[in-house]
Amino acid sequence: MMRSHDYDAIVIGGGFFGCCLALHIRHTRNAKVAVLEREPELLQRASYCNQARVHAGYHYPRSILTGLRSQVNFPRFSEQWADCVDNEFEAYYAVARQFSNVTAVQFRLFCERIGAPVEPAPESVKRLFSTSLVEDVFRVTEYAFDSTKLKDRLLAEMQQAGVEICFETEALAVGRSDAGGLSVLSRTNDGELGLTAGSVFNCTYARTNRLLRASDLPLVPLKHELTEVALVKVPEELENRAVTLMCGPFFGVMPFPARGLHSLYHVRYTLHGVWHDADPDQYRDPYEMLEHSQRESRYKHMVKDAERYLPCMVDCDYEDSLWEVRTVLPISEYDDSRPILYVEDCGLEGLTCILGAKIDNIYDMIDFVQQPC
């Protein structure tokens, strides 16, 4: 049985970007907004299954623009979401002697250029590293976010603002409605649901092209990566610390507040598969790819390599792994940049596709959505 509801805007996807966008539209336009979320709760996919890093720019010495935007957005995010941010740990970036895309001098110069605080690590920390493999270690200012707290706060704010949230509702296709706006065909536990709105925002991240393909619209060039982030109990030396070894086939370990553990990723071993969206006839649904993946953990490879640079990693205890599809723009392959995707009238007037690369990009997205519908 089909039912119809009218909204000023429909946001498809209840991740961090979708929720913040819905609140922004509701507050700035006094619009009637609905969020369609496939899962039974908000922030259950990419917003949760990541390293929970609030970027301040340090991670991107090969992309000055990405570093600058992160450094600009970092204090804003840290202040607005202070109750959801863990800043009570020390953060260190180390530069390897070999196979690194930057030297220690270049890294420090990059930090100075983007205005990111950086100073030499204390000797007690430097002694944790292998001096034969690590050129230098720096103390930086970087935080972690708690996705569970973000979820609870966003839910409360959306309910208070009057944003309608439709859980366990999967958008199947978007088209032109008879009334002149857009129609969204969705599937719920009770059957199919027809919704109409003046504007529709596709914030489905890895599934951006799935919605476009089902709607007979051109695909957006995207790269997908099947990823594993390990969750570990770290040794005492790292309990209140985060370490990132860069910039090459290296690793990072940092607090993961939502579980009270540390996350461990490795540039080489975190990736379990890569594919691109190009030909609609050869399109592969990222969620299906993830669901049917073998999920054989590479934690042992991650930690074994990390031990060479940071010997105390040998005492890590493996707890779990987060499996997800990470989606980025193809340009990121070349310069490690993390621009957002923002495409208005994406094959259909009134349909906007948005894909955020990292959580601090949220303000770049908001800047795009300033004009009334």
Side-chain angles (χ1 to χ4, degrees), residues 340-356:
I340 68 170
L341 172 76
Y342 187 91
V343 183
E344 293 181 324
D345 300 330
C346 192
L348 194 63
E349 185 178 358
L351 173 63
T352 299
C353 288
I354 299 173
L355 185 145

Side-chain angles (χ1 to χ4, degrees), residues 88-318:
E88 296 183 356
F89 60 88
E90 303 168 2
Y92 297 96
Y93 272 62
V95 179
R97 292 189 182 276
Q98 293 182 314
F99 309 115
S100 177
N101 293 311
V102 297
T103 65
V105 170
Q106 290 171 331
F107 176 71
R108 183 166 194 138
L109 179 60
F110 165 75
C111 294
E112 292 172 353
R113 290 180 67 189
I114 67 172
V118 61
E119 62 184 39
E123 289 301 320
S124 59
V125 172
K126 288 186 178 182
R127 285 195 293 270
L128 296 175
F129 293 82
S130 167
T131 55
S132 63
L133 296 178
V134 174
E135 180 185 358
D136 209 345
V137 185
F138 301 92
R139 181 164 183 174
V140 302
T141 301
E142 201 170 59
Y143 303 150
F145 64 87
D146 187 326
S147 61
T148 301
K149 292 182 178 179
L150 283 176
K151 175 195 70 173
D152 293 342
R153 178 170 156 183
L154 282 167
L155 178 61
E157 290 187 7
M158 292 167 72
Q159 290 175 335
Q160 183 176 11
V163 174
E164 185 172 339
I165 309 172
C166 304
F167 289 114
E168 298 183 282
T169 301
E170 181 178 9
L172 302 176
V174 181
R176 181 64 56 194
S177 74
D178 295 337
L182 294 176
S183 63
V184 179
L185 177 63
S186 303
R187 179 170 51 221
T188 73
N189 292 333
D190 297 323
E192 291 187 340
L193 176 67
L195 306 171
T196 61
S199 300
V200 173
F201 296 86
N202 179 7
C203 299
T204 53
Y205 189 65
R207 268 188 156 187
T208 297
N209 279 327
R210 183 182 185 277
L211 184 68
L212 296 177
R213 182 173 180 267
S215 306
D216 293 323
L217 299 174
L219 304 189
V220 176
L222 294 175
K223 175 188 176 185
H224 302 287
E225 301 171 344
L226 181 60
T227 64
E228 174 194 9
V229 175
L231 297 180
V232 301
K233 288 183 178 178
V234 294
E236 183 179 356
E237 297 94 324
L238 299 177
E239 279 185 357
N240 293 302
R241 289 171 174 158
V243 171
T244 301
L245 180 68
M246 59 183 318
C247 166
F250 304 127
F251 70 94
V253 57
M254 66 181 298
F256 190 80
R259 294 280 296 273
L261 297 167
H262 273 58
S263 62
L264 170 63
Y265 84 98
H266 193 290
V267 171
R268 179 180 293 118
Y269 299 116
T270 280
L271 264 61
H272 286 249
V274 178
W275 69 99
H276 292 76
D277 287 344
D279 186 348
D281 295 330
Q282 297 180 1
Y283 173 79
R284 290 173 285 180
D285 183 347
Y287 283 10
E288 292 183 4
M289 294 286 287
L290 177 62
E291 182 180 349
H292 295 107
S293 64
Q294 293 184 348
R295 301 196 188 188
E296 295 180 1
S297 177
R298 294 178 182 167
Y299 164 73
K300 291 183 179 180
H301 298 285
M302 295 184 200
V303 77
K304 198 67 178 177
D305 191 59
E307 288 171 22
R308 298 194 299 128
Y309 301 91
L310 189 59
C312 66
M313 289 288 290
V314 70
D315 294 322
C316 280
D317 291 325
Y318 174 78

Side-chain angles (χ1 to χ4, degrees), residues 23-71:
L23 281 167
H24 176 77
I25 295 173
R26 174 62 179 162
H27 288 314
T28 60
R29 305 178 187 176
N30 194 29
K32 185 179 181 183
V33 184
V35 172
L36 311 186
E37 171 50 47
R38 179 176 180 265
E39 304 294 332
E41 294 185 79
L42 302 173
L43 276 65
Q44 294 301 293
R45 302 291 310 227
S47 296
Y48 172 78
C49 297
N50 59 72
Q51 218 190 2
R53 188 191 302 266
V54 182
H55 284 276
Y58 303 101
H59 220 62
Y60 303 101
R62 291 190 290 142
S63 176
I64 190 75
L65 180 58
T66 300
L68 271 170
R69 291 307 306 165
S70 291
Q71 180 57 208

